[in-house]
Amino acid sequence: MLRFVVLALVSALTLSAGCKSEPAPPAPKPPEAPPEKHIQAVEPRDGGQEATLTPTFTWRLPSALGAPRLVSFTLLEFGQTAQPPKPDAEGRQIAFASGLHDVSPTSLDPFHPPAGVVLTGDLRDSKQLKGDTWYRWKIRALGEDKTEQAGFLFRTRAAEPGQGK
């Protein structure tokens, strides 16, 4: 009986010392977002409607482009139509900006362009875009060994709050 008590006591001590279990495997890392391969519209959004009449255009350049050597912006006007223009439709160019790569490679306020940006076209003399009108904005960026370009469509709201048409 004593042997049984000693065996039970040794077993209890062994169990109380704890069996070391293997450490839990590390939690898997969340997958990293794949690098963007193309220029992305931030604001105004591609296909967006009810955009402000005084937008600041903002975009993201793909990381694969590296540091841009040239960035240009083009704004085309399509008019007041119920349906968006077809992808191959040609609008009237109302603004072209160059020199963005040095001072503002990812955004442009065409109504207050930063120093160093050359802005040409009818928009220079305007205070806002036309209401309820379709526009396409394009970005062209030249990297060290790669060129990217993209176009984004949007429509302005009928009028800014507190303004007439």
Side-chain angles (χ1 to χ4, degrees):
M1 171 98 167
L2 184 61
R3 226 164 111 172
F4 178 72
V5 172
V6 171
L7 184 61
L9 187 57
V10 170
S11 296
L13 286 173
T14 304
L15 287 175
S16 69
C19 296
K20 296 205 176 197
S21 61
E22 290 188 30
K29 287 184 178 179
E32 291 182 19
E36 293 173 349
K37 295 181 180 179
H38 304 288
I39 298 170
Q40 302 290 312
V42 175
E43 193 65 34
R45 293 262 183 220
D46 189 25
Q49 298 193 34
E50 299 294 318
T52 178
L53 300 179
T54 57
T56 295
F57 295 88
T58 309
W59 58 91
R60 277 192 300 273
L61 296 175
S63 57
L65 191 65
R69 293 189 302 157
L70 293 171
V71 177
S72 64
F73 168 91
T74 305
L75 183 62
L76 304 166
E77 181 182 292
F78 289 92
Q80 298 176 335
T81 61
Q83 297 299 316
K86 304 248 185 248
D88 59 345
E90 292 189 33
R92 181 174 74 88
Q93 182 173 314
I94 62 170
F96 178 79
S98 60
L100 292 165
H101 59 286
D102 284 333
V103 293
S104 187
T106 59
S107 69
L108 174 66
D109 177 349
F111 303 102
H112 303 97
V117 171
V118 178
L119 179 67
T120 60
D122 295 341
L123 189 64
R124 284 184 325 178
D125 302 323
S126 300
K127 293 186 192 234
Q128 65 183 31
L129 299 177
K130 294 177 183 173
D132 202 26
T133 302
W134 287 100
Y135 292 92
R136 178 171 288 128
W137 58 290
K138 297 179 181 182
I139 299 298
R140 185 169 191 267
L142 174 65
E144 291 184 27
D145 60 353
K146 185 176 181 173
T147 300
E148 283 290 327
Q149 56 188 7
F152 311 103
L153 190 66
F154 73 99
R155 186 167 82 180
T156 54
R157 61 178 57 136
E160 290 293 318
Q163 292 183 346
K165 242 187 176 176

